[in-house]
Amino acid sequence: MPLPIEGFSRIGEENAFAVLARATELASQGRDIINLGIGQPDFSTPPHIVEAAIKALKDGHHGYTPANGILPLREAVARRTLQTTGVEISPDNVMIMPGGKVTMFAAILMFGQPGTEILYPDPGFPIYRSMIEFTGAKPIPIPIREENGFAFSAEETLSLVNEKTRLVIINSPANPTGGVTPRSEVEKFAAGMEEHPGVAILSDEIYDVMTYDGEEHVSLLTFPNLRDRLILLNGWSKTWAMTGWRMGWSIWPDALYDNVRKLAVNAWSCVNAPAQHAGIAAIDGPQDAVAEMMAAFDARRKLTVELANKLPGVSCITPKGAFYAFPNIKETGWQAKPLASKLLEDCGVAVIGGPDFGILGEGYIRLSYANSSENIERAINRISEFLSRDA
Ligand code: PLP
């Protein structure tokens, strides 16, 4: 007899991890696999950050910390927020989380109930929809369109808000598209949300400093009218190449803060103590490594777009942020997921099919250019050979 775990029949996952597992398995069988699938920097965490964690361990930081994180780290986040957004926040609104993802988990859990609706970007980070479904709320996709440069449309987003809406999830710069929403659109959204004072917003800004060609990132934190219902998600994973450290932060309005603190007490107690000390070093230390990483990503971005546009049946707009390109494959005649699977199994190239990011992802694949230029070139050459053979 099946055990009664009904809610978990609704939980999804991130296929990027399954692709990574399969790619690793194929590599262990001796196959030459090039991974353009996983969304993590291929750089190591800068040495001064690693040293700070080692020092913290040697200095005896082995115990629990406050559930919301150590004060010097929350103060560092407040300083960084002032630097990047010009907005002064209190460390008392900063919550240190075990990764960026946990903020979406907490926010969606807080607002998701059967009978309510939560808006989320499609294509978008797959965990948004998975968690919304898990809570029993109805997931309402916000279409993210190629013709808008993969920016979200304020008008379209606002048109989906109704009396059942509890939370609107926004993500710019975006995964999986690399889209960055321009100031005019963000302003229109912020102004339109005035009419919906009871609706909370989760703004996922984990790629905030990862933009190119001088493209501006407009933080939703800069709109005072949204502050009492805005949850801002950010973290260390992408900017400082710290995905495995599980370090994130979020900024919560006063009215919600104690709820997330209590959730931490119930679930994870606190974030790894030495990692929190490393987090201070990341924010306060030299940022040269971040700049070097961004310069490398920029060069690879240009290479990826140039090569992808030469593929038969493929067109690829230039992403303005993050480290993903989202080429359109509709003219190849392939559906995205079978193509992704074929590319991995037959050509040893891991990519993610667009439908893994939502219904509107069909017709696209995600290429993560967090890999060396040489590997990007080899991978896209293999894709080219495959598509030419197939044509
Ligand atoms: N938000 C977006 C848009 C992401 O792309 C990711 C990771 O890929 C996360 C959040 C989660 O980051 P973390 O690894 O810190 O949990």
Side-chain angles (χ1 to χ4, degrees):
M1 191 176 127
L3 292 167
I5 49 165
E6 229 171 74
F8 276 82
S9 66
R10 294 193 305 268
I11 202 162
E13 58 181 319
E14 225 190 308
N15 201 36
F17 282 95
V19 172
L20 177 64
R22 180 67 184 146
T24 308
E25 188 185 348
L26 289 171
S28 73
Q29 292 165 9
R31 294 275 308 276
D32 175 28
I33 304 294
I34 310 167
N35 198 336
L36 305 186
I38 194 78
Q40 69 176 339
D42 57 320
F43 298 96
S44 298
T45 305
H48 71 277
I49 301 175
V50 177
E51 286 306 322
I54 294 170
K55 180 171 183 313
L57 279 172
K58 287 189 173 157
D59 289 350
H61 294 287
H62 303 170
Y64 293 124
T65 76
N68 56 345
I70 56 176
L71 181 59
L73 179 57
R74 290 185 287 112
E75 287 171 340
V77 168
R79 277 195 297 281
R80 196 242 186 210
T81 304
L82 180 61
Q83 239 174 44
T84 53
T85 66
V87 178
E88 208 159 322
I89 58 156
S90 162
D92 294 342
N93 292 97
V94 176
M95 182 75 199
I96 305 303
M97 303 291 254
K101 235 178 210 175
V102 187
T103 294
M104 61 186 84
F105 176 83
I108 296 169
L109 202 60
M110 223 175 268
F111 289 96
Q113 309 283 337
T116 67
E117 296 183 355
I118 297 181
L119 275 49
Y120 71 101
D122 180 344
F125 193 59
I127 298 306
Y128 304 141
R129 186 185 173 106
S130 161
M131 269 307 297
I132 297 167
E133 286 191 327
F134 179 63
T135 64
K138 186 170 176 197
I140 307 290
I142 303 168
I144 304 296
R145 301 182 191 282
E146 183 180 3
E147 57 267 33
N148 294 339
F150 295 123
F152 67 82
S153 147
E155 197 182 329
E156 209 166 3
T157 306
L158 291 165
S159 75
L160 297 168
V161 180
N162 63 37
E163 70 286 351
K164 289 189 190 149
T165 313
R166 294 291 178 275
L167 180 70
V168 179
I169 304 175
I170 295 296
N171 172 221
S172 175
N175 180 7
T177 58
V180 178
T181 302
R183 171 171 291 281
S184 55
E185 217 52 31
V186 182
E187 283 177 350
K188 221 191 283 175
F189 170 73
M193 285 303 286
E194 293 256 14
E195 284 174 35
H196 309 286
V199 178
I201 300 157
L202 169 64
S203 186
D204 184 342
E205 302 187 12
I206 201 159
Y207 297 101
D208 62 347
V209 294
M210 298 191 137
T211 61
Y212 307 97
D213 301 332
E215 188 70 29
E216 176 191 30
H217 162 68
V218 184
S219 174
L220 277 182
L221 202 63
T222 56
F223 298 91
N225 62 322
L226 303 181
R227 285 292 297 281
D228 61 351
R229 54 201 163 108
L230 175 72
I231 302 159
L232 187 127
L233 181 161
N234 210 324
W236 282 263
S237 292
K238 316 288 175 173
T239 308
W240 293 280
M242 293 175 69
T243 51
W245 293 70
R246 307 315 301 139
M247 282 280 290
W249 77 77
S250 32
I251 302 168
W252 295 74
D254 292 338
L256 299 180
Y257 191 84
D258 216 41
N259 296 317
V260 66
R261 188 196 57 76
K262 283 196 264 187
L263 185 66
V265 173
N266 277 268
W268 58 90
S269 297
C270 67
V271 172
N272 176 302
Q276 291 193 51
H277 288 270
I280 300 174
I283 289 179
D284 287 346
Q287 302 299 310
D288 321 26
V290 177
E292 281 164 26
M293 201 162 70
M294 282 307 293
F297 284 147
D298 192 13
R300 297 161 178 191
R301 173 182 74 116
K302 290 174 178 146
L303 178 68
T304 304
V305 170
E306 185 197 325
L307 297 178
N309 274 311
K310 289 184 184 154
L311 292 171
V314 176
S315 63
C316 182
I317 66 168
T318 304
K320 295 177 178 167
F323 39 72
Y324 310 107
F326 205 56
N328 181 323
I329 58 149
K330 289 174 188 167
E331 298 291 313
T332 63
W334 278 90
Q335 296 239 296
K337 285 193 57 120
L339 178 63
S341 163
K342 202 81 179 144
L343 290 176
L344 178 57
E345 300 296 331
D346 291 13
C347 313
V349 177
V351 305
I352 311 289
D356 283 332
F357 303 98
I359 298 150
L360 291 173
E362 185 53 89
Y364 299 88
I365 56 171
R366 188 188 77 173
L367 305 178
S368 162
Y369 48 85
N371 206 324
S372 68
S373 295
E374 189 200 344
N375 278 342
I376 290 169
E377 221 166 323
R378 287 171 58 225
I380 302 184
N381 278 340
R382 288 188 196 176
I383 300 175
S384 177
E385 276 167 29
F386 174 80
L387 290 175
S388 308
R389 227 185 307 140
D390 182 63

